[in-house]
Amino acid sequence: MITKIDNQNIICFRDNEKATNKAIFIIRTKHTKTSIQIIVICDMEPPANNADYREQDYWDTRYQTEEKYDWFSAYSSFRHHLVNDVKPDHKILMLGCGNSSLSEEMYNDGYKHITNIDFSPIVIEKMRSKHSDLHEMTWEVMDICDLRYEPSTYDIVLEKGTLDALMVHEKDPWNTSTETLQKIDGILQQISRILKTGGKFISITFAQPHFRKPLYACDKFNWNMNISTFGNSFHFFYFMMEKGKQLSEKDRMNEIERQKRKQDIRTEKVEFMKYEDKEDFIFGIDL
């Protein structure tokens, strides 16, 4: 039964059989002259405003009643990629863990040494209590913008959808605002710092490579980049960056070209979305 139609991008409805709220996302991808519509159906309870996804208060309130939510897809859908990059004895940092079952599933799959961080003390306390029997896994209140770890601490840093939420207000994915670029760049520099040589940063996202590569494929991070896909009707992207490896020649040349273009780009501030602000954040990032 359809209960709400929020413009042409999202239709919210009630699945009475499963007693859950669901949403049909009509995601528009744009690349050069093409425009494609992809439809994704998933459980969803959208916030009042799109910008809420960036705010701790929103998540604290949500986590008080919500027990579990997994963005994008389940661990089983990308496990075949992860087992090639992560070993059971690796020390793993999970960025923006939320109340996802990902860490629990990885733990039960043999990855015991996981540190979970989130800026919401509500969810960290709930998850610590919920998984008190998983003795080798830890939970810490920490903002991903301020990773307070010593250099070369982790073998693996993993995020699933956390960085996507930081792009919630972006109006034009081809011209990301200076504010967002600086924030993400700062996070990536910290990730590179706390990774051991040979360690890997794994980023799982719906954002296509032509938008995410300019953020990740930078020589200063001292890592290379490999991209895989997973999913059936809709592809998600699995980015793997290994510290101590050099970027490919193509990625290096693309970075040089981007730096040259920056000299000609206007310095005016990019406007944030306004009338679209009541959409889910997934529509704030064009694919």
Side-chain angles (χ1 to χ4, degrees):
M1 178 180 68
I2 294 176
T3 58
K4 174 186 178 185
I5 299 180
D6 186 0
N7 67 53
Q8 60 183 340
N9 290 325
I10 179 170
I11 301 175
C12 300
F13 65 97
R14 181 75 174 172
D15 185 339
N16 291 325
E17 182 178 349
K18 295 184 179 181
T20 59
N21 292 322
K22 290 185 177 290
I24 299 176
F25 296 115
I26 306 174
I27 306 170
R28 289 176 175 77
T29 70
K30 299 177 181 178
H31 189 263
T32 62
K33 297 181 180 179
T34 64
S35 179
I36 304 171
Q37 287 193 163
I38 302 169
I39 296 178
V40 181
I41 301 179
C42 62
D43 295 334
M44 173 53 68
E45 189 67 52
N49 296 293
N50 197 34
D52 287 348
Y53 282 109
R54 305 178 78 194
E55 303 300 327
Q56 181 184 332
D57 288 345
Y58 164 73
W59 292 108
D60 283 342
T61 301
R62 174 169 173 166
Y63 289 141
Q64 286 176 359
T65 56
E66 183 182 77
E67 294 302 315
K68 184 177 75 170
Y69 194 88
D70 277 288
W71 297 99
F72 306 157
S73 59
Y75 169 57
S76 59
S77 65
F78 58 87
R79 180 184 181 277
H80 60 291
H81 291 309
L82 190 137
V83 295
N84 294 321
D85 296 318
V86 186
K87 306 304 179 187
D89 62 342
H90 276 167
K91 190 174 181 180
I92 303 166
L93 178 65
M94 189 74 67
L95 302 180
C97 62
N99 55 15
S100 167
S101 62
L102 176 57
S103 294
E104 176 188 9
E105 291 179 276
M106 287 182 62
Y107 189 97
N108 292 331
D109 203 18
Y111 303 104
K112 307 296 185 183
H113 311 292
I114 304 176
T115 299
N116 301 276
I117 65 170
D118 199 285
F119 67 178
S120 170
I122 302 296
V123 77
I124 289 297
E125 184 55 39
K126 289 183 71 171
M127 295 296 279
R128 182 185 291 125
S129 176
K130 179 179 180 180
H131 298 301
S132 59
D133 57 324
L134 307 182
H135 304 294
E136 296 174 73
M137 187 156 63
T138 60
W139 307 85
E140 298 180 9
V141 178
M142 191 178 299
D143 192 326
I144 65 169
C145 294
D146 183 20
L147 299 176
R148 301 184 299 276
Y149 298 109
E150 294 297 317
S152 304
T153 298
Y154 288 97
D155 299 289
I156 301 292
V157 176
L158 194 156
E159 72 89 23
K160 183 160 82 82
T162 303
L163 296 185
D164 291 316
L166 296 181
M167 305 187 76
V168 62
H169 282 310
E170 290 302 312
K171 183 177 181 180
D172 180 1
W174 296 103
N175 296 286
T176 308
S177 69
T178 301
E179 176 191 5
T180 298
L181 286 175
Q182 290 177 344
K183 179 173 288 188
I184 292 180
D185 185 80
I187 293 169
L188 295 176
Q189 289 193 57
Q190 292 182 73
I191 291 172
S192 177
R193 177 181 60 80
I194 66 176
L195 275 175
K196 300 175 182 178
T197 299
K200 298 172 181 178
F201 169 43
I202 297 170
S203 176
I204 297 167
T205 176
F206 55 76
Q208 292 190 6
H210 50 265
F211 293 129
R212 201 48 64 90
K213 286 180 75 171
L215 303 178
Y216 292 167
C218 298
D219 192 59
K220 64 183 175 182
F221 298 139
N222 188 29
W223 59 39
N224 66 351
M225 181 179 62
N226 292 285
I227 307 169
S228 304
T229 62
F230 62 94
N232 296 316
S233 57
F234 179 68
H235 280 173
F236 296 96
F237 297 91
Y238 178 101
F239 289 81
M240 190 282 289
M241 283 64 67
E242 183 174 350
K243 185 176 177 179
K245 294 288 185 69
Q246 291 186 343
L247 290 172
S248 68
E249 185 63 22
K250 181 179 179 180
D251 286 337
R252 287 184 64 253
M253 295 306 297
N254 286 339
E255 182 186 12
I256 292 172
E257 182 61 30
R258 286 193 301 271
Q259 294 299 328
K260 290 181 179 178
R261 288 200 302 267
K262 282 182 180 180
Q263 298 176 6
D264 301 322
I265 292 176
R266 295 173 301 174
T267 57
E268 63 199 43
K269 187 176 180 180
V270 176
E271 294 183 2
F272 290 140
M273 292 188 305
K274 295 180 181 180
Y275 66 92
E276 299 98 336
D277 195 45
K278 291 186 179 298
E279 300 174 10
D280 181 71
F281 85 83
I282 199 170
F283 304 112
I285 312 172
D286 282 358
L287 302 180

